[in-house]
Amino acid sequence: MARACLQAVKYLMFAFNLLFWLGGCGVLGVGIWLAATQGSFATLSSSFPSLSAANLLIITGAFVMAIGFVGCLGAIKENKCLLLTFFLLLLLVFLLEATIAILFFAYTDKIDRYAQRDLKKGLHLYGTQGNVGLTNAWSIIQTDFRCCGVSNYTDWFEVYNATRVPDSCCLEFSESCGLHAPGTWWKAPCYETVKVWLQENLLAVGIFGLCTALVQILGLTFAMTMYCQVVKADTYCA
């Protein structure tokens, strides 16, 4: 009976980790594609230039693949060491995510102030050599969200040392339209506009976070159940 139970948990855990590993492959693939085709896309921070969407996806995908591989191998080999390693790695990720979420909500105001200062510093890199990713990211954000600058369009005046904004700030795009009068530019601040958009989509973000947590808890349950079953089977055989 114990052996039959072990076999059932074994194949369930293998299937779960195979899907986990394939998910990691997908995330890694998207990250590599972004890095190859878009450069350092969505790098808005001047303090953390390596913190791009492509790099984050590559690191996340590789890490998920590694955890999934350890889980698959531990399940198929019924290896206690690998199962325990998988459990501890997944538990570490879960606790890290929970800690980040708690700190984010506890220090929202400080994070807001720091983020705005850092983004304003990043504006000075707009259009400069080697910062194609940052330039593209700002152009896309300002065009899609119909906003201009971090706090308002005057943020760009310090960058250009003139009454000028990027062409992506224009109500109607045209060559050198950023040199026209302020009445032809978007007035909404990008930071607040994106923040409001995130708040409006908080339900979707919450559901995604909840699903991620449930998947991790399921993985932890499978790993510990199988570990206990292997220990029990070894004890029974002995």
Side-chain angles (χ1 to χ4, degrees), residues 105-147:
F105 286 111
Y107 297 99
T108 301
D109 291 339
K110 287 184 178 179
I111 292 168
D112 264 351
R113 288 194 294 271
Y114 174 79
Q116 289 188 61
R117 280 201 308 270
D118 193 51
L119 289 169
K120 284 179 182 178
K121 280 172 61 183
L123 293 181
H124 291 271
L125 301 175
Y126 184 89
T128 58
Q129 190 174 2
N131 289 292
V132 177
L134 182 142
T135 303
N136 289 342
W138 268 115
S139 295
I140 291 167
I141 287 169
Q142 292 184 144
T143 302
D144 290 355
F145 286 94
R146 300 181 175 185
C147 59

Side-chain angles (χ1 to χ4, degrees), residues 1-7 229 236:
M1 182 65 183
R3 190 66 194 172
C5 193
L6 175 60
Q7 289 297 311
Q229 289 294 329
Y236 180 78

Side-chain angles (χ1 to χ4, degrees), residues 13 20 23-24 27 35 41-42 68 82 86 95 97 109 111 130 150 166 207:
M13 185 172 171
F20 205 66
V27 172
F41 179 77
L82 288 173
F86 171 79
L95 292 174
E97 288 171 350
D109 291 339
I111 292 168
V150 179
I207 290 170

Side-chain angles (χ1 to χ4, degrees), residues 22-32 54 56-62 64:
L22 289 171
C25 287
V27 172
L28 179 63
V30 172
I32 292 170
L56 284 174
L57 287 172
I58 288 169
I59 292 167
T60 303
V64 169

Side-chain angles (χ1 to χ4, degrees), residues 194-229:
V194 173
K195 190 176 172 182
V196 167
W197 179 82
L198 286 171
Q199 287 170 347
E200 288 173 350
N201 292 275
L202 203 58
L203 180 62
V205 175
I207 290 170
F208 176 77
L210 186 62
C211 288
T212 303
L214 286 173
V215 166
Q216 290 172 345
I217 290 167
L218 193 63
L220 290 169
T221 305
F222 276 139
M224 189 47 66
T225 303
M226 187 167 180
Y227 177 81
C228 292
Q229 289 294 329

Side-chain angles (χ1 to χ4, degrees), residues 161-178:
N161 289 318
T163 307
R164 181 187 174 184
V165 298
D167 293 343
S168 56
C169 278
C170 299
L171 297 172
E172 291 185 14
F173 179 84
S174 63
E175 194 68 33
S176 300
C177 62

Side-chain angles (χ1 to χ4, degrees), residues 124 154-165 179:
H124 291 271
T154 59
D155 292 337
W156 290 108
F157 295 176
E158 295 178 25
V159 177
Y160 291 111
N161 289 318
T163 307
R164 181 187 174 184
V165 298
L179 293 167

